[in-house]
Amino acid sequence: MVRGRQDPQVTMLAFIDLESRVPPDHPLRTIKALADRALAALSNEFDQMYAETGRPSIPPERLLKASLLIALYSVRSERAFCEELDYHLLFRWFLDMNLIEPSFDATTFTKNRKRLLEHRVGQQLFDEVVLEADRHDLLSDEHFTVDGTLIEAAASLKSFKPKDGDPPSDDGDRGNPSVDFHGDKRSNATHQSTTDPESRLYKKGKGKEAKLVFMAHGLMENRSGLVTDFQVTSANGTAERDAVPTLLDQAKERGFHPQTLGADKGYDTRDCVADMRQRGVTPHVSQNIKGRRSAIDGRTTRHPGYAISQRIRKRVEEIFGWMKTVGGFRRTRYRGLDKTGLAGYLVATAYNLVRMAKLLQPEEALAAQTG
């Protein structure tokens, strides 16, 4: 074998078929087919989002699929994604773009985000993917788990200033001032972030660092580990429990019939357990007996199903772990509850698509790709 050498002559004409460059067993093929089917169901909604005349926009399907890619491939920002789109063949294939089309500008996301929020497109796409999972018989409608997690706000603690009165003293540096908080008692009642007023100062427990955060809530179906509902709310001491009635009511509206609901000790309160029982749901809540009496007694814990729910409920932490590490949702890139909620729905949708691609049998995945 002789040494191979580079050919300095550049080919003037080349034909590249993107379809042939993507391996037949690439998991993104199944994800693309599932996403395309969910987006096709929203076509009428997209028609209502735009005027009938004028300059054509970037297809909303392409923007939403681009947001899914940002989560799937841990791209740090929309601007970085648009830069990669110039040369990333896999991204272009996923977005149905040829090699001649130029990449769109990052401001396209910003300009279209208001439309997506007004029409609740993020939630609708999430719901369509859940329905697609149900069509493939990946969901049961009986046993669920609920949990919450903190999402850091895109705001610094230095922006957390008194609503009335003088702000804490700083060194006058406008870009990154050194602020002296010594002796300054701060709370959400008296202070507010000037960067993101909807974020709240919150700490996870005693001895933990207080941060400006939002609270994300997820409802997981126990058999498949898919997220069947997701929402972002303000963070406070009761936010996790307050979200339970809404999550259960919305599950029933979607055609699910929850019989049990697993949860950790944070949900072990009389009011929360009563809300579950009032809706005909058995509360498989972990007992909190540290210095208090649990709202769950032996009538619930004696059944084998309780132990099963307690074992399976830990999987919801894997969902939040994926969303924060791979999906980049540990800290929101956006300001405000609505924009953070939209981003949360898209990251949760990306997780469900990855999970569905793993759960589908090879023949089912092939059928999904071919339609």
Side-chain angles (χ1 to χ4, degrees), residues 112-284:
N112 285 272
R113 190 167 288 119
K114 184 178 180 181
R115 289 190 178 95
L116 299 179
L117 288 170
E118 288 177 353
H119 292 261
R120 298 170 51 249
V121 172
Q123 182 176 353
Q124 291 189 61
L125 176 59
F126 174 85
D127 291 342
E128 285 296 332
V129 171
V130 173
L131 287 174
E132 190 67 23
D134 196 33
R135 294 187 193 104
H136 285 86
D137 196 28
L138 296 177
L139 298 176
S140 67
D141 65 350
E142 298 176 348
H143 306 291
F144 294 82
T145 296
V146 67
D147 201 5
T149 189
L150 298 179
I151 305 299
E152 293 183 34
S156 168
L157 281 175
K158 295 177 182 179
S159 71
F160 197 62
K161 299 179 180 180
K163 298 178 182 178
D164 301 312
D166 297 329
S169 58
D170 58 54
D171 58 2
D173 184 351
R174 293 185 178 181
N176 187 21
S178 298
V179 183
D180 182 12
F181 295 114
H182 186 71
D184 183 19
K185 295 183 179 180
R186 298 178 293 170
S187 71
N188 291 312
T190 58
H191 290 63
Q192 188 178 56
S193 171
T194 56
T195 303
D196 189 347
E198 293 185 277
S199 63
R200 294 291 180 268
L201 188 68
Y202 189 88
K203 61 180 180 180
K204 199 168 183 179
K206 292 183 178 180
K208 300 290 185 178
E209 178 185 3
K211 298 180 180 179
L212 291 172
V213 296
F214 295 101
M215 181 74 75
H217 312 270
L219 184 68
M220 180 191 75
E221 190 275 325
N222 284 1
R223 191 183 76 182
S224 64
L226 289 168
V227 190
T228 57
D229 201 359
F230 187 85
Q231 60 179 245
V232 176
T233 66
S234 294
N236 58 56
T238 63
E240 288 182 301
R241 299 186 292 275
D242 293 342
V244 169
T246 302
L247 292 172
L248 289 177
D249 291 343
Q250 290 181 168
K252 292 184 177 181
E253 290 175 4
R254 293 184 174 95
F256 296 106
H257 304 87
Q259 295 183 8
T260 66
L261 185 65
D264 60 26
K265 295 180 180 180
Y267 295 84
D268 185 13
T269 65
R270 291 184 179 180
D271 291 341
C272 185
V273 169
D275 285 336
M276 296 183 196
R277 295 191 185 279
Q278 184 181 358
R279 289 163 174 78
V281 179
T282 302
H284 283 181

Side-chain angles (χ1 to χ4, degrees), residues 40-94:
L42 300 178
S43 181
N44 292 334
E45 188 68 31
F46 295 147
D47 289 338
Q48 299 176 20
M49 289 170 53
Y50 296 88
E52 295 182 359
T53 59
R55 181 171 58 86
S57 70
I58 299 294
E61 296 92 338
R62 185 167 291 176
L63 290 177
L64 290 167
K65 288 167 71 175
S67 297
L68 294 178
L69 284 174
I70 290 174
L72 291 169
Y73 284 88
S74 307
V75 183
R76 71 177 185 277
S77 68
E78 293 165 349
R79 187 170 299 279
F81 174 83
C82 290
E83 292 176 1
E84 284 194 44
L85 190 56
D86 269 331
Y87 54 82
H88 204 306
L89 297 184
L90 188 63
F91 286 4
R92 285 182 169 269
W93 169 82
F94 190 82

